[in-house]
Amino acid sequence: MSVPKELQSRLGTRLKHPLNTDSLTVANQLKWPIVNEMRARIAEAAAAGGGADLRSVAEEFRRQLRRADNDLEVEAISTGISVAIDTVLGKPTSVDIDPVTGEEEPAFDPAKVRQARQFAKIVAGRATPIDHFHSQYMAQLTVKPRTRGDDERAIKLLKRWCEENEVEPFLQSFPSKKAAVRFVDDLQGLEPSLSPVTLNKYINRLSRYWQWLEKREEVTMDVWRGLALMPPPVAHDEKERPFTQEEMVKLLTGETTQAMHDLMRIAALTGCRLDPIVCLRVKDCRDEGVFVFKPQKKEKVERLCPIHSDLKEIVERRTKGKAPDDPFFPEWPGPKNADTKRERSFKTSNQFTAYARSIGVREERDGRRRSLINFHSFRRWFVTAAERAGQPESLIAVVVGHKRQGMTLGVYSAGPVIEQARACVEAVRLPAAR
């Protein structure tokens, strides 16, 4: 008998027992008690391992029942299921007296009773574990690693909440919004160190998973739609903002590495987010004078951004004598762990924060994780500088990768030509040191 993958470290890949006969007919008569004994061993190991192991055994029983082609086999598998459930229940912990008949009845550990009940529901096809389809859902996602991490953390939080609140961790436990609302109400207490903004990301990722399940008719509705935690009110002067001219001068003249100076200037004169800049390769700086930035947020394709004339020296210095696939910023290589959810720019962000703090370019508030000015403030500064230079909002949106507003510009327009975008970029000038 094959052993589920999760249990092979304990039981090996297969369980074997000789029947000592060369007759197939006799073997088919002798095998069922031994098969059920093997199933009991697997169920015992699964019960010791917990939820995931036990679930895999229950799903295997369910598959065997679907494949059974005669009454004898169905009866034998059903006997094996009963043996497995008895194994999950374990020995009685006490004896109860039936108040009506007065007869003695064995009582079992409540936690094991819940396990056995869930096991039986999965076998019978009346319960689908919350994460049963999650790996399949994740396989078709085309999102950033950080968002994939949010998906995984959201499912873990939901399963943890189910366990702590004695809610069976099945899709069928969420037939309406009622249980989902309970989860959202408890979420802040479940993860008190996380902000409502972060927790709302997890609710949103659960909603996306349920929408996918709804299309497959595995659930009847997205129970998470419209649910969210109320973020704390933010005073007008506590919103994240662009750098001031004085702060820009401090940053661009402070004592730091050449790589950091190059990085800040590219950010200030393109309005690009941090990660696409750090991920640039030599071939992404094209001869026609444009950067090719990888897609971010809801962008579908790479984005072209004209290279500002003040950046030409940096581009020439960083591309000279290098191969097309060489990194533009070798100072910040990608993570060594291929499975990490962190972006390549993770260390870069930390280094910029340390640099900005060392020269006093920070604006921190009690209770806020981030300073009101951070690396993203270069992007805000570029947008502000372009607007003050008289550039139209729709053109600025194209340069920085924002969605253009309105039916005409947002749907029907093919977008501005690169010369118009170049004029917008060149209109922005770095502040001069005083």
Side-chain angles (χ1 to χ4, degrees):
M1 177 176 286
S2 296
V3 174
K5 186 176 180 181
E6 297 85 350
L7 303 174
Q8 289 178 3
S9 60
R10 278 173 276 176
L11 299 179
T13 57
R14 299 177 71 84
L15 298 179
K16 297 181 181 180
H17 191 286
L19 298 177
N20 300 317
T21 178
D22 56 4
S23 167
L24 182 59
T25 302
V26 173
N28 280 329
Q29 293 172 348
L30 295 176
K31 74 178 182 181
W32 292 115
I34 296 173
V35 165
N36 287 333
E37 181 185 331
M38 290 177 174
R39 286 173 177 153
R41 285 184 60 192
I42 291 173
E44 185 177 13
D53 292 347
L54 201 56
R55 187 182 83 189
S56 67
V57 174
E59 289 172 345
E60 178 58 30
F61 270 121
R62 185 173 169 178
R63 283 191 290 270
Q64 289 175 7
L65 277 174
R66 285 202 301 264
R67 291 197 300 261
D69 55 9
N70 58 68
D71 292 342
L72 178 62
E73 193 168 352
V74 170
E75 183 181 351
I77 294 171
S78 299
T79 302
I81 292 169
S82 298
V83 170
I85 290 174
D86 288 342
T87 304
V88 173
L89 282 171
K91 294 181 179 179
T93 55
S94 61
V95 176
D96 289 341
I97 305 298
D98 189 298
V100 177
T101 64
E103 294 180 358
E104 292 185 349
E105 293 182 348
F108 299 90
D109 181 341
K112 291 185 176 180
V113 171
R114 283 196 301 273
Q115 273 189 330
R117 188 178 293 125
Q118 291 177 13
F119 183 91
K121 283 184 177 181
I122 295 173
V123 172
R126 298 196 308 271
T128 307
I130 285 170
D131 59 351
H132 181 77
F133 298 102
H134 203 249
S135 59
Q136 190 176 347
Y137 160 75
M138 293 288 284
Q140 55 84 48
L141 279 183
T142 54
V143 295
K144 295 192 300 182
R146 184 183 296 177
T147 303
R148 298 180 73 85
D150 288 340
D151 273 291
E152 292 169 0
R153 284 186 287 273
I155 283 291
K156 287 179 181 177
L157 269 177
L158 183 57
K159 290 169 64 179
R160 181 176 139 205
W161 178 83
C162 288
E163 181 180 350
E164 292 179 4
N165 290 273
E166 296 187 4
V167 174
E168 293 187 321
F170 302 135
L171 295 178
Q172 288 80 359
S173 299
F174 295 82
S176 67
K177 285 184 176 289
K178 191 171 183 179
V181 169
R182 283 181 56 202
F183 171 77
V184 173
D185 287 343
D186 293 344
L187 197 49
Q188 194 77 68
L190 200 63
E191 285 291 344
S193 63
L194 299 180
S195 71
V197 174
T198 299
L199 295 174
N200 281 337
K201 288 181 183 179
Y202 298 156
I203 298 170
N204 179 60
R205 297 318 300 173
L206 288 173
S207 179
R208 293 297 182 91
Y209 177 43
W210 248 254
Q211 289 170 32
W212 182 82
L213 291 169
E214 186 180 5
K215 290 177 183 177
R216 296 169 57 87
E217 298 186 349
E218 299 294 345
V219 298
T220 57
M221 63 180 292
D222 172 15
V223 298
W224 309 100
R225 185 178 288 119
L227 299 184
L229 294 170
M230 184 67 70
V234 178
H236 177 70
D237 60 351
E238 287 192 351
K239 292 181 179 179
E240 295 187 5
R241 61 171 178 81
F243 294 120
T244 64
Q245 297 296 86
E246 291 74 20
E247 288 165 344
M248 285 289 290
V249 170
K250 264 190 169 184
L251 287 164
L252 299 177
T253 59
E255 186 176 343
T256 185
T257 63
Q258 184 64 58
M260 185 62 71
H261 274 297
D262 293 347
L263 179 76
M264 291 188 294
R265 281 161 174 76
I266 293 174
L269 294 176
T270 62
C272 186
R273 295 180 176 88
L274 174 59
D275 198 60
I277 300 175
V278 176
C279 290
L280 280 171
R281 296 161 297 176
V282 169
K283 65 182 178 184
D284 295 328
C285 309
R286 293 188 180 171
D287 292 338
E288 56 266 36
V290 294
F291 287 120
V292 182
F293 292 123
K294 70 176 186 176
Q296 285 282 286
K297 299 288 184 180
K298 295 182 180 179
E299 294 175 341
K300 303 292 185 185
V301 295
E302 296 172 329
R303 178 167 54 86
L304 302 184
C305 180
I307 298 174
H308 196 289
S309 56
D310 288 351
L311 298 177
K312 288 183 178 178
E313 183 276 328
I314 294 175
V315 172
E316 290 173 0
R317 169 164 44 83
R318 288 192 164 270
T319 58
K320 187 176 181 180
K322 293 183 179 179
D325 285 319
D326 284 348
F328 191 81
F329 281 104
E331 294 87 350
W332 294 297
K336 293 181 180 179
N337 181 3
D339 297 327
T340 184
K341 302 296 187 298
R342 289 177 173 174
E343 295 176 332
R344 178 173 180 160
S345 57
F346 178 77
K347 288 187 177 179
T348 320
S349 178
N350 289 343
Q351 289 176 21
F352 172 78
T353 299
Y355 166 61
R357 185 176 286 122
S358 73
I359 60 174
V361 180
R362 298 285 287 174
E363 188 172 348
E364 295 171 333
R365 292 285 188 274
D366 291 340
R368 287 186 64 98
R369 184 173 59 88
R370 294 207 317 177
S371 165
L372 299 183
I373 47 176
N374 44 61
F375 195 90
H376 204 72
S377 294
F378 283 118
R379 183 172 173 83
R380 300 186 182 97
W381 180 87
F382 175 88
V383 171
T384 303
E387 184 181 27
R388 289 175 178 173
Q391 298 302 306
E393 181 181 353
S394 61
L395 189 55
I396 299 171
V398 169
V399 171
V400 300
H402 284 163
K403 183 178 180 180
R404 297 200 294 169
Q405 300 300 314
M407 178 66 75
T408 304
L409 292 177
V411 177
Y412 290 110
S413 174
V417 295
I418 200 70
E419 287 77 11
Q420 291 174 289
R422 193 178 304 281
C424 176
V425 169
E426 289 293 341
V428 177
R429 292 289 170 181
L430 295 177
R434 297 175 182 175

